[in-house]
């Protein structure tokens, strides 16, 4: 009985302490995406531009440290008909508030391909994310993200290996 009471007490305190420091919001951005090939790959490899939108939850851990997770739609790949892919991305970013409203952050990201089946692209890709954000007010901010592809975007059956590099220039609004 003591163990159950202690567990409930710790769980309740944790929930109450985190519930005061949770922010929600939306993120809109523009992408500049390209594919980086291990060998020759595609000779013409134009950038693909697109619009990103998503929603995030920001959990403040300390005065300067927070963990942000986001669910976002992102058009990626190269700007050629067969090399355009759209993803539903889930980044988890550890943010550090350097001073004022300026934050930097890093973390992993998993992307789920959301259109076209059996097109030669993997359904799941993994990336690393770097973030620089400046909060203009308590609710409005601008950010820059670089997403560095870690995993091969092509199916293993293909004899082609490529990762994606994506730059995002964005706008956040905290609710």
């Amino acid at each position: 009985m003591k163990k159950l009471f202690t567990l409930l007490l710790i769980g309740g305190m944790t929930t109450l302490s985190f519930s005061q420091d949770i922010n929600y919001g939306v993120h809109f951005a523009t992408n500049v995406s390209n594919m980086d090939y291990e060998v020759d790959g595609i000779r013409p490899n134009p950038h693909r531009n697109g619009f990103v939108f998503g929603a995030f939850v920001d959990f403040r851990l300390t005065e300067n440290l927070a963990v942000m997770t986001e669910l976002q739609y992102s058009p990626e790949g190269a700007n050629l008909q067969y090399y355009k892919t759209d993803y539903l991305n889930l980044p988890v970013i550890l943010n550090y508030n350097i001073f004022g409203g300026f934050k930097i952050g890093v973390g992993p990201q998993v992307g789920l391909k959301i259109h076209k089946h059996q097109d030669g692209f993997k359904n799941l890709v993994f990336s690393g994310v770097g973030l620089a954000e400046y909060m203009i007010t308590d609710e409005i901010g601008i950010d820059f993200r670089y997403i560095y592809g870690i995993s091969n975007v092509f199916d293993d059956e293909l004899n082609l290996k490529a990762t994606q590099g994506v730059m995002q220039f964005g706008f956040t609004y905290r609710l």
Side-chain angles (χ1 to χ4, degrees), residues 23-27 54-58 173-175:
N23 293 312
Y24 303 92
V26 291
H27 179 248
F56 65 87
V57 179
D58 197 1
Y173 180 72
R174 295 190 188 315
L175 304 173

Side-chain angles (χ1 to χ4, degrees), residues 11-165:
M13 287 177 22
T14 305
T15 303
L16 288 174
S17 66
F18 275 131
S19 65
Q20 295 174 0
D21 295 328
I22 296 176
N23 293 312
Y24 303 92
V26 291
H27 179 248
F28 301 98
T30 183
N31 259 6
V32 178
S33 174
N34 206 352
M35 299 176 91
D36 183 24
Y37 294 91
E38 198 171 277
V39 286
D40 288 342
I42 307 169
R43 295 283 183 224
N45 192 5
H47 296 285
R48 181 177 184 205
N49 301 331
F51 293 103
V52 176
F53 56 90
F56 65 87
V57 179
D58 197 1
F59 302 94
R60 195 166 77 180
L61 303 175
T62 67
E63 185 73 25
N64 294 325
L65 196 62
V67 173
M68 180 181 71
T69 186
E70 182 175 4
L71 189 60
Q72 67 173 221
Y73 164 80
S74 177
E76 298 176 11
N79 198 19
L80 297 169
Q81 182 179 0
Y82 298 108
Y83 295 96
K84 293 180 180 181
T85 55
D86 296 338
Y87 289 95
L88 193 58
N89 289 329
L90 181 69
V92 178
I93 302 171
L94 182 65
N95 290 327
Y96 183 74
N97 188 3
I98 295 178
F99 60 87
F102 185 68
K103 301 175 185 180
I104 59 171
V106 295
Q109 173 176 289
V110 63
L112 174 67
K113 184 181 67 166
I114 58 172
H115 80 290
K116 297 183 187 175
H117 297 285
Q118 299 177 346
D119 60 354
F121 284 90
K122 288 186 178 176
N123 289 330
L124 284 176
V125 294
F126 298 95
S127 306
V129 179
L131 166 76
E133 180 179 33
Y134 180 70
M135 293 303 295
I136 299 167
T137 68
D138 287 342
E139 294 87 23
I140 298 171
I142 56 174
D143 69 14
F144 171 78
R145 298 179 191 194
Y146 184 75
I147 295 114
Y148 178 79
I150 296 170
S151 62
N152 182 16
V153 296
F154 291 113
D155 284 334
D156 294 333
E157 293 82 34
L158 298 176
N159 197 16
L160 190 59
K161 296 189 186 299
T163 57
Q164 298 191 114

